[in-house]
Amino acid sequence: MAHDQPAGPAGPTKLVIRNIGLLLSGDIEKPILDADTLVAESGRITAIGRAKDVDTAGATTLIDANGTTLTPGLIDSHVHPVAGDWTPRQNQIGWIDSFLNGGVTTMISAGEVHMPGRPRDITGLKAMAIFAQRAFDAFRPGGVKVHAGAPVIEPGMTEEDFKDLAAAGVKLLGEVGLGGVKDGVTSRQMVAWARKYGIQSTIHTGGPSIPGSGLIGADVVLEADTDVVGHINGGHTALPDGEIRCICEGCKRGLELVHNGNERAALYTLRVAREMNELHRVILGTDAPAGSGVQPLGILRMISLLSSLGDVAAETAFCFATGNTARMRALDCGLIEVGRAADFVIMDKAQYSAGKNILESVRLGDLPGIGMTIIDGIVRTQRSRNTPPATKVPEIVKG
Ligand SMILES: [Zn+2]
């Protein structure tokens, strides 16, 4: 597939997906839907139901899911993009397109911090954030929606700076703590200014990731009060369990678990969230690219890890990377609901998995095989080049 793809074709389109064996909703309150047919018109879901009850006439694209499983496109809540589909962190090209082959259709930047020569002065950091927002809005590798332009706060920023950023289209802050602001009081003030102008925030939790980054403990995390507790399981160095529990219990913010973090701490956080009956707060990211590389299957691996070792139903674990994130971050994708973006992953049990079906295979710790990705109602990839091969794959009947 070509790298640079348009957001969508001109003119009305109607996508019909029939013969869906299992429909995962992304909604943690009701993760499995009783439906086998899905219709999307001009990139938006317009009908979900049983074939006999849905108007499937006039499809411009018709897909036979062949009894496989459909889930909302996966959302990676924590990436560090720089420019286009290149990352200087491990000097790789095509990493975003590779993530698409791992089912990721939306990415959220936690700061374009790997930019060589990243400006630290206020004018420079604002300019870079606006540039990144514009560039990734206009360029979608493989069709993936990269929400970028996430400035890292520095001392001396004023309310006016956040107002300017918001007016210029910036909607995110990069990880608090990766810049010169590391104390709770200043962080809290700047996060509040960001929130006032509609800019979402996240924070670096735990020990330093790489030389130059620093420790952020529970006291600063709670004082800063960002919308998302970024990598609460560390990136990689996690806080002591007592501090993780203190964060979970001390706020109602998002609890982000990342692939490039401490896996035991991720499982501990999951356990605390479940005890509190607050699994809706759990969201997933990779924190890629990072020192440990890029992981095209990182979100699938987190789903499998949390389900198999964390004792969570597979259909619930998929919600951590879809509906939970969409709701927390006010995205128009991530849930199978009329009106939402038609961003889907179609997958099946991997060949030779010991599980009887896809959910059991994930529960046993296997990864599913992806057979197709769809963004804005357009087929972007077919059999994944990265996952283990799916047992059954969907077929494009028309379009
Ligand atoms: Zn971090």
Side-chain angles (χ1 to χ4, degrees):
M1 283 237 161
H3 257 199
D4 188 10
Q5 298 191 357
T13 58
K14 183 169 180 176
L15 167 71
V16 173
I17 307 174
R18 68 184 188 201
N19 203 10
I20 298 166
L22 175 67
L23 186 47
L24 300 180
S25 68
D27 180 0
I28 200 159
E29 300 297 327
K30 190 176 189 289
I32 296 177
L33 293 176
D34 180 22
D36 60 11
T37 304
L38 205 154
V39 179
E41 294 175 65
S42 299
R44 298 265 154 192
I45 299 171
T46 51
I48 306 148
R50 290 280 158 199
K52 62 178 170 39
D53 304 323
V54 174
D55 176 15
T56 56
T60 52
T61 303
L62 175 62
I63 292 166
D64 188 331
N66 202 16
T68 56
T69 297
L70 186 143
T71 180
L74 306 179
I75 304 165
D76 187 333
S77 170
H78 194 131
V79 296
H80 292 293
V82 164
D85 208 352
W86 167 68
T87 171
R89 194 75 188 89
Q90 300 299 344
N91 206 13
Q92 270 182 270
I93 291 172
W95 69 278
I96 296 171
D97 188 72
S98 223
F99 270 57
L100 177 61
N101 276 267
V104 173
T105 57
T106 294
M107 293 179 163
I108 313 282
S109 175
E112 295 78 34
V113 291
H114 302 152
M115 172 66 86
R118 168 163 73 100
R120 309 272 178 148
D121 66 292
I122 294 167
T123 303
L125 74 87
K126 285 167 69 180
M128 193 180 87
I130 296 165
F131 160 74
Q133 187 277 327
R134 295 287 189 283
F136 281 100
D137 195 48
F139 176 74
R140 287 170 44 180
V144 175
K145 298 167 177 174
V146 183
H147 297 267
V152 174
I153 56 174
E154 292 288 349
M157 289 180 79
T158 63
E159 179 172 346
E160 204 63 26
D161 291 316
F162 294 90
K163 191 176 175 189
D164 289 351
L165 284 164
V170 170
K171 296 186 173 65
L172 300 163
L173 282 192
E175 286 172 74
V176 170
L178 293 188
V181 175
K182 303 204 187 280
D183 68 288
V185 174
T186 313
S187 300
R188 187 182 187 86
Q189 175 64 79
M190 292 188 184
V191 164
W193 283 331
R195 185 172 290 129
K196 178 174 173 185
Y197 295 103
I199 298 174
Q200 290 182 11
S201 51
T202 186
I203 191 164
H204 173 95
T205 309
S209 312
I210 52 174
S213 141
L215 166 73
I216 304 284
D219 49 347
V220 174
V221 170
L222 289 173
E223 186 159 21
D225 192 32
T226 51
D227 298 308
V228 170
V229 180
H231 57 60
I232 189 169
N233 61 320
H236 290 269
T237 312
L239 295 174
D241 287 356
E243 289 199 48
I244 291 176
R245 177 176 287 276
C246 182
I247 293 169
C248 294
E249 293 177 352
C251 71
K252 293 291 178 195
R253 302 297 185 187
L255 304 173
E256 185 189 76
L257 307 179
V258 300
H259 184 273
N260 293 338
N262 176 317
E263 287 151 325
R264 194 200 57 79
L267 291 163
Y268 178 76
T269 307
L270 180 71
R271 196 159 81 231
V272 174
R274 188 174 39 218
E275 278 171 26
M276 295 169 65
N277 201 22
E278 291 185 352
L279 285 180
H280 63 276
R281 291 170 62 193
V282 175
I283 62 173
L284 305 184
T286 54
D287 197 3
S292 47
V294 303
Q295 299 84 16
L297 307 184
I299 296 294
L300 286 178
R301 282 170 53 83
M302 286 302 289
I303 290 169
S304 179
L305 172 88
L306 297 174
S307 179
S308 60
L309 298 182
D311 200 23
V312 166
E315 62 269 30
T316 301
F318 274 100
C319 299
F320 300 158
T322 54
N324 279 7
T325 323
R327 286 193 172 126
M328 197 173 300
R329 292 187 172 280
L331 301 171
D332 69 353
C333 56
L335 289 155
I336 304 299
E337 284 176 357
V338 168
R340 294 260 172 186
D343 299 352
F344 312 126
V345 180
I346 304 180
M347 55 197 178
D348 195 20
K349 180 180 95 159
Q351 291 174 15
Y352 303 106
S353 169
K356 282 197 301 289
N357 54 44
I358 186 169
L359 297 179
E360 194 181 295
S361 74
V362 171
R363 194 56 197 264
L364 290 174
D366 286 339
L367 300 184
I370 289 177
M372 185 176 284
T373 62
I374 294 169
I375 301 176
D376 291 332
I378 301 165
V379 176
R380 306 290 176 161
T381 58
Q382 293 188 249
R383 188 189 282 283
S384 168
R385 67 170 186 261
N386 289 334
T387 65
T391 305
K392 287 186 291 180
V393 293
E395 182 190 345
I396 300 174
V397 178
K398 178 188 177 191

